[in-house]
Amino acid sequence: MLSVLLVDDEQFVRMGLRTLIDWESCGYEIIGEADNGEDALRIITEKHPDLVITDIRMPVLDGLELIRRVSQAGHLTTKFIIISGYDEFKYAQQAMRYGVSDFILKPVDQDELQDILLRLRRQITKDQIIMKKTDVIWINAIFEALLKGETNHKNIEEWEQVLGIQEAKKLFYMFIEINDDHLWEESGSHVFSDWEFCQHLGHIIAQILGLKEPVFLYQHERSLYGMIVTDRVLSAFFGSTERLASTLQTRLSEAIGKTVMIYVGVPVPHVGQLHRAYATAKEALQYKFALPGGVVVYEKVKDQPLQYMELEPSLRQQLMEGVEENDEAQIREAVERIFNAFREHRFAPEVVKTAINQCVFSVVRLIRELKGREDELKTLQFMVGWQDLNIAPETLKRYFLAFMLESAGYIAELNLERSRGIIHKIKSYIDSHFCEDISLKSLGAMFYMNPTYLGQIFKKAYGVYFREYLMNLRINEAKRLLRQTDLCVYEIAERVGFNNPEYFVTQFEKVVKMTPAEYRNQCLKCGGEDKGQR
């Protein structure tokens, strides 16, 4: 709502203006009235209304003089509409020189005033946005100079005044990092522009801290904001930066529905040393994956150096074995151990990125070796581009696990397709060489496959175990030789791949339900009967 002050020495005119217009529907709220220019000037100075509707001829201080004094006092954002019973060109001309927005004659026409109010509301809103952006550009320039240490005694007092920290005895620099603000999350990206979101955050933080004015935030990156914290603000939290940061983190996360992380630098005595507070806050940023909780105070971690070691190879090996074998339990355990290692060894963000990327590239390489396409993976795009986003450790772990599980399933499919092609070759080989000394072990060595896995996919492809299939081939061939030749049983056993005739007889009897000799006699008997009948 835009604020309006009504100024006229006639009470009935002011009452008429109140009832003539539906102010709320037009986007306005009347915040006061005055019956003379002097009282009006005091109210304008105190309340800074967006719009003043005033008569020209009033006691003490007339309307034109009121406008002139307001203009000279620098209240450039306040707009004026003059309502007068005098249709005199000189009044209108002088009013326009002072920047008056419109001039209306009494009696006031409702439609005319409403049209003017609606048009003026659009203009005031636009001007306010431009003014705010101009202020933000100026304050941003001050911030940049302070963070670089580019200050001198001449401008420090002015800058402290602009930033509202002129009485502070201690200053901190705090980073506010908005995590998981990306399109992969269900809530998607925020609907504000960057500038609007920065302003929005400033209002929320002011409410949390109990401040009347919005907090100014300096936007370092799209989702990383900096703010100056004074000892006055800290006093409400018993002087504890950790308590302040934890409160902000919890309340901000609830307010915007995103994971918020807070990083606080060391205190400095005055604004001229703010660059040191900023530098230590930047160092605190590096502990993102090293500490749980999402709040890092530099004073608490400065004696706990970050590590730049490589991820233990056995962890990556455990993960890759789980992926290759499509073992969900092993994959989950490996991912948990990897992220625990990030915290336990206090890995720096760059080391975490390297470790994650190595695991991802190992999976991609395996998929390519199996003639697959990594772009079939829905989670790949996130895992390739996550380092360009602010991602909370727990969110990264969740997506990393999802990527590994999806990859394991896809690799299992590729292995199955590959195995189907190979298993047909293996079956053809068995069909041609079943009389030889062959086994799963020898076939595995010949076709570069794990014997146990070979046995599993053979059963899956043909519905029968390898040993049973091989035995049936040999027994069927033995039956043919018994029917069609005069070879002895031990000779047939040797020909179909049995080194031990007694074992051959045992297996033959188990499958055919009679001994080889009984089978041959039965065949001869059936053959003789057929001849007699003919």
Side-chain angles (χ1 to χ4, degrees):
M1 289 286 185
L2 298 178
S3 56
V4 181
L5 174 66
L6 303 179
V7 185
D8 198 296
D9 59 344
E10 295 184 31
Q11 183 179 2
F12 290 107
V13 173
R14 299 196 304 272
M15 289 176 61
L17 286 173
R18 275 186 176 272
T19 57
L20 183 66
I21 299 294
D22 184 351
W23 294 94
E24 187 175 347
S25 66
C26 290
Y28 293 86
E29 176 187 11
I30 297 175
I31 61 166
E33 297 180 13
D35 59 6
N36 64 78
E38 196 170 74
D39 287 346
L41 182 59
R42 177 180 52 79
I43 295 173
I44 292 170
T45 304
E46 292 175 358
K47 297 188 176 182
H48 305 291
D50 298 304
L51 174 63
V52 176
I53 299 178
T54 181
D55 191 8
I56 285 185
R57 295 199 175 185
M58 294 182 297
V60 185
L61 191 70
D62 68 24
L64 289 177
E65 182 61 19
L66 168 65
I67 295 168
R68 188 185 69 81
R69 290 195 187 184
V70 169
S71 179
Q72 285 183 341
H75 300 291
L76 301 177
T77 58
T78 300
K79 304 292 183 183
F80 284 88
I81 295 176
I82 287 179
I83 297 179
S84 176
Y86 301 92
D87 185 9
E88 296 186 18
F89 178 72
K90 67 175 183 179
Y91 287 126
Q93 190 178 39
Q94 193 172 354
M96 293 307 168
R97 278 205 302 270
Y98 292 139
V100 171
S101 298
D102 227 308
F103 192 102
I104 302 175
L105 290 175
K106 295 179 181 179
V108 177
D109 180 78
Q110 179 183 4
D111 292 337
E112 181 186 7
L113 179 56
Q114 185 164 303
D115 288 344
I116 291 171
L117 289 172
L118 293 173
R119 173 178 53 78
L120 201 54
R121 185 184 69 183
R122 292 191 291 270
Q123 184 61 47
I124 291 172
T125 304
K126 182 179 177 181
D127 290 348
Q128 287 179 344
I129 291 172
I130 293 171
M131 187 67 71
K132 283 181 181 178
K133 288 188 175 180
T134 303
D135 289 344
V136 167
I137 291 170
W138 166 231
I139 299 175
N140 274 340
I142 293 175
F143 256 74
E144 288 175 10
L146 290 172
L147 299 185
K148 292 176 183 177
E150 299 172 352
T151 59
N152 57 57
H153 295 296
K154 293 180 180 178
N155 56 27
I156 278 185
E157 285 188 15
E158 179 189 355
W159 290 0
E160 286 179 335
Q161 192 77 28
V162 171
L163 297 174
I165 57 174
Q166 61 272 25
E167 297 178 6
K169 297 178 181 177
K170 193 184 291 185
L171 299 169
F172 297 82
Y173 199 77
M174 177 184 291
F175 280 112
I176 298 169
E177 184 185 66
I178 311 300
N179 287 268
D180 308 332
D181 185 18
H182 51 80
L183 297 176
W184 283 280
E185 289 297 286
E186 290 181 5
S187 57
S189 185
H190 53 68
V191 296
F192 302 100
S193 68
D194 286 351
W195 180 80
E196 289 172 331
F197 188 68
C198 192
Q199 303 298 306
H200 179 59
L201 275 184
H203 280 86
I204 295 174
I205 293 171
Q207 291 174 359
I208 293 171
L209 300 180
L211 303 176
K212 294 181 180 179
E213 295 293 326
V215 171
F216 180 82
L217 298 177
Y218 179 82
Q219 187 169 4
H220 292 271
E221 298 171 7
R222 186 174 185 274
S223 298
L224 183 66
Y225 306 87
M227 66 175 282
I228 298 172
V229 178
T230 67
D231 51 343
R232 292 197 305 266
V233 170
L234 211 58
S235 64
F237 297 87
F238 306 98
S240 169
T241 52
E242 199 163 4
R243 189 183 294 239
L244 166 64
S246 296
T247 301
L248 271 180
Q249 186 213 22
T250 303
R251 299 277 298 278
L252 268 179
S253 296
E254 292 172 353
I256 65 175
K258 304 288 181 186
T259 304
V260 176
M261 303 187 77
I262 308 287
Y263 310 89
V264 188
V266 298
V268 294
H270 58 82
V271 74
Q273 292 187 10
L274 193 65
H275 61 282
R276 182 166 169 263
Y278 164 69
T280 50
K282 278 187 72 174
E283 290 187 44
L285 270 170
Q286 300 301 305
Y287 286 79
K288 178 172 185 172
F289 295 96
L291 296 175
V295 171
V296 182
V297 178
Y298 180 77
E299 291 282 5
K300 301 279 186 180
V301 300
K302 64 182 180 181
D303 297 324
Q304 303 175 35
L306 292 167
Q307 301 297 323
Y308 292 86
M309 64 175 68
E310 186 181 0
L311 181 68
E312 187 179 338
S314 63
L315 293 178
R316 194 161 65 248
Q317 182 180 349
Q318 179 190 4
L319 177 63
M320 289 307 299
E321 286 176 357
V323 169
E324 290 185 43
E325 296 171 12
N326 197 18
D327 187 334
E328 181 177 341
Q330 183 171 333
I331 293 171
R332 289 183 178 277
E333 181 186 350
V335 169
E336 194 66 36
R337 289 184 63 196
I338 287 171
F339 276 79
N340 285 341
F342 293 161
R343 288 192 295 272
E344 291 169 6
H345 298 298
R346 296 191 299 277
F347 275 21
E350 290 305 315
V351 182
V352 171
K353 290 176 183 179
T354 300
I356 293 293
N357 288 342
Q358 284 177 339
C359 294
V360 171
F361 293 149
S362 294
V363 168
V364 170
R365 187 165 50 247
L366 177 57
I367 289 173
R368 289 179 179 176
E369 288 174 0
L370 294 171
K371 309 301 181 186
R373 293 178 53 182
E374 66 271 17
D375 56 7
E376 294 286 330
L377 302 173
K378 296 178 181 177
T379 50
L380 177 66
Q381 189 178 1
F382 176 87
M383 292 312 306
V384 170
W386 74 271
Q387 53 265 45
D388 297 325
L389 306 167
N390 286 326
I391 303 298
E394 283 301 314
T395 304
L396 177 60
K397 181 169 77 171
R398 175 161 53 88
Y399 275 99
F400 184 63
L401 174 60
F403 171 77
M404 290 300 166
L405 291 175
E406 184 187 10
S407 299
Y410 182 50
I411 287 168
E413 290 177 9
L414 292 174
N415 276 325
L416 184 58
E417 290 176 10
R418 179 169 171 262
S419 300
R420 283 172 181 158
I422 294 175
I423 206 65
H424 290 310
K425 293 180 181 179
I426 293 174
K427 180 179 177 295
S428 296
Y429 181 85
I430 296 170
D431 291 344
S432 302
H433 299 81
F434 66 87
C435 295
E436 301 173 9
D437 184 15
I438 58 175
S439 63
L440 282 175
K441 186 175 181 180
S442 64
L443 290 171
M446 184 179 298
F447 289 93
Y448 305 101
M449 293 183 71
N450 179 284
T452 303
Y453 180 63
L454 172 56
Q456 291 172 350
I457 62 172
F458 189 93
K459 171 68 165 61
K460 192 168 185 178
Y462 299 108
V464 62
Y465 289 107
F466 163 76
R467 290 176 63 86
E468 184 181 351
Y469 182 77
L470 179 63
M471 181 64 68
N472 286 333
L473 284 177
R474 288 174 169 176
I475 296 299
N476 286 335
E477 177 63 10
K479 287 165 69 177
R480 186 186 71 80
L481 292 173
L482 286 167
R483 290 195 310 269
Q484 297 178 5
T485 72
D486 294 328
L487 292 172
C488 297
V489 170
Y490 75 87
E491 291 176 311
I492 292 174
E494 186 176 351
R495 283 201 179 190
V496 297
F498 289 92
N499 294 325
N500 187 331
E502 292 179 357
Y503 180 68
F504 164 67
V505 171
T506 302
Q507 294 303 314
F508 188 95
E509 188 173 4
K510 184 185 294 184
V511 174
V512 185
K513 308 304 180 188
M514 61 182 73
T515 64
E518 290 171 342
Y519 177 79
R520 172 173 273 173
N521 289 334
Q522 185 186 58
C523 292
L524 290 173
K525 182 179 178 182
C526 290
E529 289 176 354
D530 289 343
K531 287 179 182 179
Q533 290 173 0
R534 285 198 298 271

